[in-house]
Amino acid sequence: MNKDILSGVVLLAIAGIYYTWSTRIADSTLSDEIGADGLPKMLAILLGVLAVCLIGRTVLAMGLRAAAATATKAETEEEEDDNAPLPRALGFLAFGAAYVFLLPFVGYIVATALLIGTIAIYEGAPRRSWIVLAAAIGGGLFYWAIFVKLLGVNQPMGSIFQGLF
Amino acid sequence: MATFWDIFHLLTETPIFFVAIIGLTWGIMGGALPGISASITMALVLPFTYAMDPAQAIALLACVYIGAEYGGSIPAILIRTPGTNSSAATVIDGYEMNRQGRAGEALGISLMSGVVGSLFGLAMLILLTEPLSWLALAFTPASYFGLGILGLSVIASMSGGSLIKGLCAATVGLMISTVGTDPISGVTRFTFDVPDLIGGIEPVLVMVGLFALTELMSQSGSVGMARLNASIRIKLPSWQMMNKLKRSQFIGCILGLFEGLTPGGGGSIAAFMSYNEARRWSKTPQLFGKGSEEGVAAPETANNTVASTAMIPLLSFGIPSSNSTAVLLGGLLMHGLIPGPRLFEQSAQVIDSIYVGSFIAIIAQIGVGIVILPACIWLVNRPRHYRAGFIFALILSGIYTLNNSLFDLGIALGLGVVGFFMRLARFPVLPMILGVVLGHMVESSYRRSLVLSGGDLRVFLEDPIAVALLSLALIFIVFSLAREIRDARKAKLKEAHS
């Protein structure tokens, strides 16, 4: 399916879901004429209309100019070359999700070191390199010094280390 | 106004010079860390000012503010992560220049434009505080609505060639801004009983997700921009270049002055509007978005001007126009100083210290920038496999700092995925960011206006400031649409010829 049509369908779905949720916003005696649900409902309708316009415009362009579709395809292929493949990009972000999961358990220094080390390996650093290990540990300690010691930010110490400190 | 001898006394018998340098350096460091906004940077130093002399303490806070506003541009240019909200517009051309191996030039332009904007703002602060301060009091909810719409009018020209896609992105941004507590009735919207959502989604999360995380994801697996032998030298703009940039810097100064005076305006709107106007008036508008020097100069001049001019309503009436000036207000009150006309008479030394300290900080910004920026360029040119992890960890650490919330990290990561898909489908992200930044202001001021007028829509036509701002917005939209149509026709003709 053409990317713009697919985007239009997704936006239409978002508009529908958002509208449904906005009907569930509670009423309040303090509310004004427009109400807490006024803007959300209007935005949902606007997004729906825009999504339909996007789909309509793309379908029209495809129907009228088949050559343009070829050009779009070529352009899209070129554009894809600039970005990492989807699984690789999502894989990268998965390390961030793992960091969020591990942070409360292992604490800031360990989680940060693990993140720096694993990302380095994921991005092509040699697996058994002492540089990766040094960068990971050094990075964890460096950020801890900046955020915790210098700026006084209360980063998690880690539940598994709680008894130690 | 301070006499020569007052200034001489300040420079020779007080530690104002050191206070200014320390404040500036601290501010640049804080502003350069993603997630640490200018207000947080100032709040972190606030407890240390308690034991200081009031004049030095307030000067220190003012210098931190100036440094932080400038510091935000460093990660915006180097790692596509705006350090502060107001440096989001700098990302567009600053990062593009970095991609082209012109990081030193981009940082030099941002540094000098920041100095130009700050000096202009300081001059306005010193000379025009009294005559301009009336504007802060003249703002009604209807005026705020006009201001918000004026900010949103930029969307039309930031849609990257597809107005429908730009409007879709802006609408989604406005939708994100509705999450949290309703500004009028106080009921919660789209919070799903999650306490972290009651306060809404911070714009900085959206910026970091859409800009920085998307960029990191997109570059994954590539050699990226590792240029081990790349020059780390800061290239300050030549006279010729400064001459070329004067138009965009002038636009930045004027819009920065206006936005600094208007409570709630803030550096973000000024930066985006300056970018838009600089493109409109540029001789080479086609270069915007592709590494234009003017595209860096305009927003940087604007947001640095705001750092000084935002103090005008604060010192005159005690009206904080942003979170940062609210912290400054806290500093003033902590030392028993009540903002207002009497502050200028009774605590003249405090006012003089702000002026002199700010001036020292602005000039010292060049020296401090020349010292620290090469190290920043060196860092971002390390091999990608090490650099990516360090940047990712820095971003996540910064986000956690906002509210000490793991939920915020999840939101930013989710928005990173959204940004990646937007990139694949060629949706512009800037309109979405504008929607998030301005959504709350537009909605709350519109509804407040109607509450005050008993539902009468004429309130927007009876307020002269609102009328002026809405008319300007209309003009901007019409011009942008005309340009869109003209460009589309040109492209069609070109296609037909080829």
Side-chain angles (χ1 to χ4, degrees), chain B residues 24 28 66-67 69-71 73 106-124 234 236-237 239 242 245 249-250 252-253 296-308 358-370 373:
Chain B
L24 174 80
I28 292 177
I66 289 169
E69 281 300 334
Y70 164 67
S73 69
L107 287 168
I109 289 170
S110 105
L111 179 62
M112 290 312 292
S113 300
V115 169
V116 168
S118 298
L119 283 176
F120 175 79
L122 182 62
M124 293 298 106
I234 293 298
L236 292 179
W239 282 115
M242 285 301 275
L245 299 176
Q249 287 173 340
F250 176 75
C253 284
V296 175
E300 276 308 303
T301 310
N303 65 34
N304 283 279
T305 304
V306 170
S308 296
S358 298
F359 182 75
I360 294 169
I362 293 165
I363 300 303
Q365 197 170 297
I366 302 172
V368 174
I370 288 171
L373 292 177

Side-chain angles (χ1 to χ4, degrees), chain A residues 3-4 7 18 28 32 34-36 65 75 79 83-84 88 93 104 108 119-120 123 131 143 151 153 155, chain B residues 44 165 178 189 217-218 220-221 384-386 389-390 397 400-401 406 413 417 423-424 426 446-447 495:
Chain A
K3 274 183 186 174
D4 283 354
S7 306
Y18 184 79
S28 167
D32 54 339
I34 295 168
R65 292 184 297 160
E75 194 181 53
E79 179 200 333
N83 296 310
R88 173 146 201 110
L93 213 68
Y108 181 68
I119 290 281
E123 292 296 323
I131 302 176
Y143 283 135
L151 297 174
V153 177
Q155 297 277 8
Chain B
L44 284 167
K165 285 184 176 179
T178 62
R189 302 185 293 195
M217 288 168 74
S218 299
S220 181
R384 177 174 161 78
H385 33 263
Y386 296 113
F390 272 88
S397 304
Y400 184 82
T401 307
L406 289 173
L413 291 173
V417 178
R423 196 164 169 148
L424 286 181
R426 304 190 79 190
Y446 180 76
R447 289 171 60 192
E495 198 179 306

Side-chain angles (χ1 to χ4, degrees), chain A residues 2-3 58-80, chain B residues 426 495:
Chain A
N2 180 292
K3 274 183 186 174
T58 312
V59 170
L60 204 66
M62 283 169 76
L64 289 174
R65 292 184 297 160
T70 318
T72 309
K73 196 181 167 194
E75 194 181 53
T76 310
E77 277 165 4
E78 191 187 316
E79 179 200 333
E80 275 172 351
Chain B
R426 304 190 79 190
E495 198 179 306

Side-chain angles (χ1 to χ4, degrees), chain A residues 31-55:
Chain A
S31 195
D32 54 339
E33 270 181 43
I34 295 168
D37 59 346
L39 180 72
K41 281 179 180 167
M42 195 202 83
L43 290 173
I45 294 166
L46 177 64
L47 187 65
V49 171
L50 288 168
V52 170
C53 288
L54 182 64
I55 295 167

Side-chain angles (χ1 to χ4, degrees), chain B residues 47-80:
Chain B
F48 298 103
T49 66
Y50 192 71
M52 289 173 72
D53 169 67
Q56 309 297 326
I58 304 306
L60 178 75
L61 288 170
C63 295
V64 173
Y65 185 24
I66 289 169
E69 281 300 334
Y70 164 67
S73 69
I74 300 171
I77 290 168
L78 294 178
I79 57 173
R80 206 175 187 244

